[in-house]
Amino acid sequence: MPGIVIVGAQWGDEGKGKITDLLAEQADAVVRFQGGNNAGHTIVRDGETFKFHLIPSGILYPGKWCMIGNGVVVDPKVLCEELDGLRARSMDISGLKLSANAHLIMPYHRLLDEAGEARLGKLEIGTTRRGIGPCYSDKAARLGIRVQDLLDGKILKKKIMAALEPKKLTLRPYERDPRLDLQSMTEEYLTYGHRLEQHIADTTSMTHKLLDDGKPVLFEGAQGTLLDIDHGTYPFVTSSNPVAGAACVGAGVGPKDIDEVWGVTKAYATRVGAGPFPTELDEEVGEGLRQKGGEFGTTTGRARRTGWLDLVALKYASRINGLTHLAVTKLDVLTGQETLKVATRYRGEDEAIFETYPYHQSVLHHAHGEYEELPGWSEDITEARSESDLPQAAREYLDYIADFVGVPVALIGVGPGREQVIWTETPSVTTPVSAS
Ligand code: IMP
């Protein structure tokens, strides 16, 4: 039985939380495999709104395992707050398991993130300033503090000391900042250790056991393909790999354990932070989409940049991830647009045409979408529950996407509620669709 990966096929904020929540109903476990509390997702369940940054979406189902994998960077303060919030709403949190090998975001990571952005000035990346990049840097430099270190005061203090040493110069402006006091930092993190101890586990072997017993496991990615540190719009990317292949590393499974890869895309495009965005709209339509789609960040509240759907980028994302299914969210936000545009190629400097996603940063920075125009619709589609309830133009829009990308649309979002979806295919491993 299946291992299903869910990834963002754009620049994040595609609505992965809702799709994971829906697919989680049929799974035994949800495993988050990368990113940290730079992500944020909102789930509306029975009229109640839940916002998570770290906890996988499946937590709302009692009796399922919800794992934070080794590939995630964990701010323990944020995790404790999320758990407290769920406890206060009498939710069962016993299924939450935290990999002992996941790395911890420390106070100096947050300060370094701030300082790094300030230093870049106009060239800033527009990070969430949650300390994500510096934490992954320490992991690669082998100076990271891991969840398991929280359980041993001596080791914890020694490791914090070693991690702080090479940062002294950069952190000089914060020399007397109480947030950098070694003793109180160690004590604070030991407290998190006590609070989280019951959740700390070997999530990798738990996942192996589930898969070996034939139980369905969902691997939940954060951010999106175009924010991937290797395959995205570097350097305007996050510091991890949100692509499907990273599920293997960030959860500790092999490629053979993955049977399906679901790519989530909005029916249009958004991006937060700086970096190239070939289909960006800067006139009225852009603001209209922002307001209608509520395009403001869950994590930072920043207004998202909005644009038409970029099929060049989506096709690239499909290939990089090996998508077998597409979930198209927020189709209802496009209702009322007389004409819809989709970018099918790019025009760059000197009128150069690009049929595929350009690898070179300078090319991408100058690229603009070349569009196909498709008819819009004006009918309210928020009550549609099957494809046949959709207006002809909406069906044609979805068909165009599926044909261009070469991956079937399996799920369509027509409103924020979890029931506001149309299933066109159920998740199953019996007939995986090739992503070529
Ligand atoms: P960082 O991940 O905080 O280092 O930010 C790097 C880039 O990724 C910035 O452009 C952020 O706006 C973007 N980013 C990080 N997490 C998310 C997310 O969950 N959704 C959308 N953009 C994100």
Side-chain angles (χ1 to χ4, degrees):
M1 268 301 275
I4 299 176
V5 180
I6 300 172
V7 291
Q10 299 172 301
W11 281 278
D13 307 317
E14 298 93 349
K16 293 178 292 295
K18 175 170 157 178
I19 307 301
T20 308
D21 182 47
L22 287 165
L23 293 180
E25 210 168 342
Q26 302 163 52
D28 281 56
V30 182
V31 188
R32 174 93 187 262
F33 60 84
Q34 48 71 230
N37 60 313
N38 46 349
H41 47 256
T42 307
I43 296 168
V44 183
R45 172 83 69 88
D46 302 328
E48 264 204 89
T49 303
F50 295 86
K51 285 183 195 285
F52 301 117
H53 296 287
L54 272 170
I55 296 182
S57 315
I59 196 74
L60 299 182
Y61 297 99
K64 288 193 198 292
W65 294 118
C66 249
M67 303 190 219
I68 297 178
N70 57 277
V72 177
V73 287
V74 178
D75 187 326
K77 182 167 187 277
V78 173
L79 182 56
C80 286
E81 282 166 5
E82 285 189 9
L83 287 170
D84 287 347
L86 285 169
R87 242 184 246 115
R89 288 159 96 168
S90 305
M91 305 294 293
D92 176 12
I93 51 165
S94 57
L96 192 276
K97 293 291 162 197
L98 170 61
S99 168
N101 288 343
H103 281 247
L104 293 169
I105 296 181
M106 306 298 291
Y108 45 86
H109 292 139
R110 289 190 292 266
L111 294 175
L112 288 167
D113 202 353
E114 283 283 353
E117 288 287 83
R119 209 174 35 244
L120 283 170
K122 271 196 191 145
L123 297 176
E124 71 160 25
I125 294 156
T127 73
T128 58
R129 290 167 162 78
R130 300 295 191 263
I132 307 295
C135 184
Y136 277 115
S137 300
D138 267 356
K139 175 178 177 175
R142 289 154 295 182
L143 286 171
I145 315 290
R146 294 190 295 170
V147 167
Q148 55 186 276
D149 301 326
L150 291 176
L151 304 177
D152 186 321
K154 259 200 208 149
I155 290 184
L156 181 64
K157 194 169 180 182
K158 247 199 218 161
K159 288 198 173 182
I160 296 178
M161 213 155 42
L164 274 173
E165 190 55 38
K167 301 177 181 71
K168 278 200 171 136
L169 193 63
T170 327
L171 290 174
R172 188 166 288 159
Y174 302 97
E175 220 166 16
R176 290 182 203 293
D177 193 310
R179 286 172 291 183
L180 289 185
D181 180 71
L182 177 64
Q183 189 56 30
S184 43
M185 198 188 309
T186 309
E187 280 164 18
E188 182 190 344
Y189 273 65
L190 279 175
T191 315
Y192 298 136
H194 291 310
R195 292 175 68 187
L196 294 172
E197 192 165 2
Q198 59 181 308
H199 298 287
I200 299 174
D202 180 355
T203 52
T204 298
S205 59
M206 283 178 71
T207 307
H208 293 166
K209 169 101 180 58
L210 287 165
L211 290 167
D212 293 347
D213 289 349
K215 310 273 199 229
V217 176
L218 283 189
F219 299 94
E220 181 185 22
Q223 291 84 46
T225 303
L226 300 165
L227 288 174
D228 186 277
I229 192 164
D230 285 271
H231 303 288
T233 51
Y234 192 90
F236 301 100
V237 293
T238 192
S239 296
S240 64
N241 294 103
V243 297
C248 295
V249 180
V253 297
K256 282 202 296 192
D257 290 309
I258 310 298
D259 301 284
E260 294 182 4
V261 183
W262 287 56
V264 186
T265 174
K266 274 181 200 165
Y268 48 98
T270 63
R271 166 162 210 171
V272 206
F277 186 7
T279 63
E280 182 163 18
L281 288 159
D282 52 5
E283 26 16 295
E284 252 169 61
V285 190
E287 180 57 19
L289 277 185
R290 182 174 305 121
Q291 293 301 336
K292 202 160 170 213
E295 297 298 351
F296 299 91
T298 323
T299 302
T300 58
R302 288 181 289 178
R304 295 179 184 142
R305 300 154 69 190
T306 53
W308 292 120
L309 185 61
D310 182 342
L311 290 180
V312 182
L314 191 57
K315 197 167 184 167
Y316 169 74
S318 161
R319 191 64 191 86
I320 292 274
N321 290 295
L323 297 187
T324 58
H325 298 70
L326 272 175
V328 178
T329 59
K330 293 191 141 180
L331 187 65
D332 55 302
V333 176
L334 293 183
T335 299
Q337 301 280 352
E338 214 167 295
T339 315
L340 299 169
K341 291 186 182 182
V342 288
T344 53
R345 53 188 198 162
Y346 296 153
R347 185 177 293 273
E349 264 190 324
D350 302 326
E351 302 298 300
I353 293 292
F354 298 90
E355 303 282 350
T356 54
Y357 199 74
Y359 76 93
H360 203 287
Q361 184 187 355
S362 310
V363 173
L364 201 54
H365 272 279
H366 293 104
H368 293 284
E370 290 253 301
Y371 299 98
E372 271 311 304
E373 293 201 0
L374 303 171
W377 59 90
S378 54
E379 298 89 331
D380 178 8
I381 59 168
T382 55
E383 300 298 324
R385 295 296 175 267
S386 78
E387 267 186 300
S388 57
D389 295 336
L390 290 174
Q392 176 75 13
R395 289 205 300 267
E396 282 173 15
Y397 186 71
L398 294 166
D399 286 347
Y400 193 95
I401 298 170
D403 283 350
F404 192 96
V405 179
V407 179
V409 174
L411 189 56
I412 305 152
V414 291
R418 82 186 293 280
E419 71 295 346
Q420 289 180 293
V421 286
I422 298 170
W423 291 91
T424 67
E425 273 194 38
T426 44
S428 135
V429 283
T430 47
T431 50
V433 182
S434 117
S436 58

